[in-house]
Amino acid sequence: MTSNDVAAPSRRPRVGMAASSWRVSRIWVYRLLFAAAFLAFWQFASGRLADPFWISSPSAILARLSEWVRTGTLQYNLMITFKETISGFLMGATAGVLAACVAGANDTIRRTVDPFVTAVYGLPKVALAPLFIMWFGIGMAPKIVLAAVSVFFLVFFSTLSGVREVDHKMVEALRTMGADRLTIQRCVVLPAAMPWIFTGLKLGLPYGFVGAVAAEMMASNAGIGFLTQNAAGQLDTAGVFAALFALMVVTSLLNEGLGRLEAWIFRWR
């Protein structure tokens, strides 16, 4: 065996990591080019191909965002929506995971509640906003509840799918060794369903923002939904786009954070 044969295996992972890093960098270059081309075309089209009243322009949106940042309007309203969404997200996600574990552990319970959960899930969540506002007033409470409801169903159905995919042989093995139901849930079911849970969380987070913003647009004096509705009431197209853009950025950053958390938790894979 030569020294080259010994060194070769150690070089392969480095080559693989370098190739993977290059692919990631290349994707980011493509994304930046696509975004630049889209914004350039939008700026060109505004006033030439379409009336700026309808589509505004990137420069006008940037000016509005700069104004809001300078006055603190954007930070204040974003923080309100952020608090409502995160509170609702944590409540809805926790309830969704717990309910899915209970329903997945007992087939009778699952079959009993399935039609009712599906029926409520079929309701447009925005239609529930007036009811929550009547119940909880116009403060933060109805926004948090609507965000929680929006997140709950996505996390519930995703987690339930993961729970039902758990290897029953492992469950039976633990039962044979005398493990109780709580131990089985903690040691087998939850770890096995974790990828499904994260899928539900990543799907549910944007819907949590949708729920909070929808409630804000109906009855609120603060938040991104209020900012959007207020700009629309003043026929300020740039303001509407600016509020939506800020919401998109925050949602994307939070989803990226969830993705990194998932990658860290499953780094052993």
Side-chain angles (χ1 to χ4, degrees), residues 59-265:
S59 58
I61 294 169
L62 180 60
R64 181 69 73 251
L65 283 171
S66 300
E67 176 190 343
W68 284 351
V69 170
R70 187 174 62 255
T71 60
T73 301
L74 182 63
Q75 297 92 309
Y76 172 75
N77 287 282
L78 262 182
M79 187 55 63
I80 295 294
T81 303
F82 181 80
K83 289 179 181 178
E84 295 166 351
T85 302
I86 294 302
S87 300
F89 177 76
L90 293 175
M91 290 172 55
T94 302
V97 171
L98 293 177
C101 288
V102 172
N106 190 303
D107 191 61
T108 301
I109 295 178
R110 183 185 64 81
R111 290 175 177 272
T112 301
V113 303
D114 183 68
F116 301 101
V117 174
T118 303
V120 178
Y121 176 63
L123 290 174
K125 305 305 174 290
V126 177
L128 298 174
L131 187 61
F132 292 152
I133 292 171
M134 290 171 58
W135 287 350
F136 303 108
I138 61 172
M140 293 180 65
K143 290 81 172 179
I144 293 174
V145 174
L146 189 58
V149 171
S150 301
V151 172
F152 169 82
F153 291 99
L154 292 169
V155 175
F156 172 79
F157 285 118
S158 182
T159 304
L160 184 60
S161 298
V163 170
R164 297 186 65 189
E165 292 293 326
V166 173
D167 189 349
H168 292 286
K169 292 182 180 178
M170 296 179 63
V171 175
E172 292 301 326
L174 276 181
R175 283 177 179 167
T176 302
M177 290 186 288
D180 58 17
R181 183 169 296 181
L182 183 60
T183 302
I184 293 173
Q185 291 283 340
R186 180 169 51 87
C187 297
V188 176
V189 176
L190 277 178
M194 197 62 72
W196 299 81
I197 293 174
F198 268 96
T199 299
L201 294 177
K202 288 189 288 187
L203 290 173
L205 183 59
Y207 280 88
F209 271 101
V210 169
V213 170
E216 287 173 351
M217 294 179 72
M218 290 189 179
S220 181
N221 58 2
I224 290 296
F226 165 76
L227 207 58
T228 305
Q229 188 69 16
N230 187 55
Q234 299 177 22
L235 302 180
D236 180 9
T237 311
V240 174
F241 275 111
L244 295 178
F245 177 77
L247 188 61
M248 287 169 53
V249 170
V250 173
T251 305
S252 299
L253 290 175
L254 288 175
N255 263 322
E256 180 67 20
L258 272 177
R260 290 182 179 272
L261 178 61
E262 181 183 16
W264 181 79
I265 290 177

